[in-house]
Amino acid sequence: MTAPLPESPLDRSESEIVLIVDDVPDNLAVLHDTLDESGYTVLVATDGESALQRAAQALPDIILLDAVMPGMDGFEVARRLKARAETGHIPIVFMTGLTETEHVVAAFRAGGVDYVNKPIRPQEVLARIVTHVQGARLARQARNALDAFGHATLAVRLGDGRVVWQTPLARKFLQDYLGCQDPQLPEELLDWVRAHRGLPAGPVAPTRTMLQGARRLVVALHQQTGDDEWLLVMREASDAAAIEGLTLALGLTLREAEVLYWVVKGKTNRDIGEILGASPATVKKHLEHVFGKLGVETRTAAASLAIGRVAQLGQG
């Protein structure tokens, strides 16, 4: 029953994957047989460490977690699962014989979405699984759909800055633009979220733009998804088409077109130098070449010549 996971990825097309975590073999056997007969792919773990390992490897659709186990208890397992971006979205249903209010509250605080009392009634567990797996599936489909259209999503917990869950595209954007390698939102972006979360709701979400050469990442603060959780939607935009258009239309070199493009955007020489990785003096020299080619003497005149072209390309 505790055989290692297969080396090849588990097939999710035919059934959902359920991870059962319990240190009592009889409990595992009853639930395993019931779920297997109902068409689920069932994985099991008998302690906290193996539960964390199996969850990270298999990314199950739902986890049935015993609250009281020797060593690492279920509450700690849940907290660790929720602290990891790759497993934080998985719904956890606690199984417990502890019915006192403080234990129920502890289960929800640790990240559980539901709980069932022991002794386990398999049909009750099945009903809970159906409900929570369906909800998780719809949420996953929505996140994947946003990824497919280039809109990456993540949910961040403002108290500690932990990324509760994120789509693969969101993870890539954070790595590319901010060098973020762990499920922790960078402080600069976290401060921005905290500063804008209290603004009155409006038709347009607050946005922040981060630049990387001709590429930019636009981060929008959308809505609150939990007591201390907020949803961010990110999309990547590129200025390459507009810059190429300026190059062809005005007879500029690529670097001259880049400098002119950012002049149109209202950037100073210092700003442009930071974007392009050049000194302000170098930017000034490129701008002098632009003035000569365009037959103008000021930034305003150069921008006026270019702005129509930028607008035509839909990049203004």
Side-chain angles (χ1 to χ4, degrees):
M1 185 174 295
T2 56
L5 290 170
E7 294 183 3
S8 58
L10 293 167
D11 184 5
R12 297 175 184 271
S13 62
E14 298 297 329
S15 67
E16 281 83 17
I17 300 169
V18 181
L19 172 62
I20 309 170
V21 185
D22 199 317
D23 64 311
V24 179
D26 288 345
N27 292 339
L28 288 174
V30 170
L31 285 172
H32 181 283
D33 292 347
T34 299
L35 295 174
D36 184 61
E37 291 171 2
S38 298
Y40 291 97
T41 298
V42 184
L43 303 174
V44 300
T46 57
D47 60 74
E49 289 294 344
S50 61
L52 295 173
Q53 181 182 9
R54 285 175 177 266
Q57 289 176 315
L59 298 180
D61 296 284
I62 192 167
I63 298 173
L64 302 178
L65 179 59
D66 186 17
V68 180
M69 297 184 294
M72 187 189 308
D73 65 22
F75 303 122
E76 179 60 23
V77 172
R79 283 190 287 269
R80 295 193 187 189
L81 288 170
K82 292 300 176 181
R84 298 177 179 177
E86 66 273 19
T87 56
H89 66 283
I90 302 172
I92 298 173
V93 175
F94 274 94
M95 303 181 294
T96 177
L98 304 174
T99 57
E100 290 83 356
T101 301
E102 61 266 28
H103 295 127
V104 174
V105 171
F108 286 111
R109 283 182 174 170
V113 296
D114 206 345
Y115 73 97
V116 292
N117 291 322
K118 291 185 175 182
I120 294 298
R121 294 182 290 275
Q123 293 307 311
E124 178 187 356
V125 174
L126 276 174
R128 304 291 178 91
I129 288 176
V130 169
T131 298
H132 294 298
V133 165
Q134 183 179 34
R137 185 193 305 121
L138 292 173
R140 184 173 65 250
Q141 290 172 346
R143 293 195 295 268
N144 290 343
L146 285 169
D147 260 13
F149 286 97
H151 289 72
T153 54
L154 65 83
V156 61
R157 192 168 57 214
L158 294 192
D160 56 9
R162 300 291 292 184
V163 175
V164 180
W165 58 259
Q166 61 184 333
T167 63
L169 187 58
R171 183 180 296 109
K172 181 179 185 301
F173 284 163
L174 290 179
Q175 291 174 348
D176 290 350
Y177 283 85
L178 296 166
C180 181
Q181 300 293 332
D182 56 33
Q184 186 80 26
L185 201 67
E187 198 65 32
E188 59 178 294
L189 193 52
L190 183 61
D191 288 343
W192 174 79
V193 175
R194 287 169 174 162
H196 289 78
R197 61 177 170 166
L199 296 180
V204 180
T207 61
R208 177 185 175 118
T209 301
M210 285 167 281
L211 303 174
Q212 189 179 83
R215 301 162 61 214
R216 63 186 184 273
L217 183 68
V218 181
V219 182
L221 176 60
H222 267 257
Q223 62 187 34
Q224 191 170 3
T225 59
D227 289 343
D228 192 38
E229 296 174 7
W230 288 79
L231 178 69
L232 303 183
V233 176
M234 300 181 288
R235 62 179 176 83
E236 189 176 42
S238 174
D239 303 294
I243 291 170
E244 183 181 0
L246 292 175
T247 301
L248 298 174
L250 302 177
L252 305 176
T253 67
L254 176 60
R255 184 43 59 97
E256 290 167 353
E258 288 176 332
V259 169
L260 179 56
Y261 179 81
W262 292 112
V263 167
V264 171
K265 293 290 188 179
K267 302 297 183 182
T268 66
N269 286 0
R270 182 177 297 277
D271 293 335
I272 297 170
E274 292 178 355
I275 294 170
L276 301 180
S279 69
T282 300
V283 171
K284 181 180 178 182
K285 186 171 292 293
H286 284 304
L287 196 52
E288 290 171 352
H289 294 162
V290 170
F291 290 169
K293 290 183 178 181
L294 300 186
V296 299
E297 297 182 356
T298 66
R299 299 169 73 92
T300 301
S304 296
L305 271 177
I307 200 165
R309 180 62 180 169
V310 172
Q312 290 174 8
L313 291 165
Q315 300 291 324

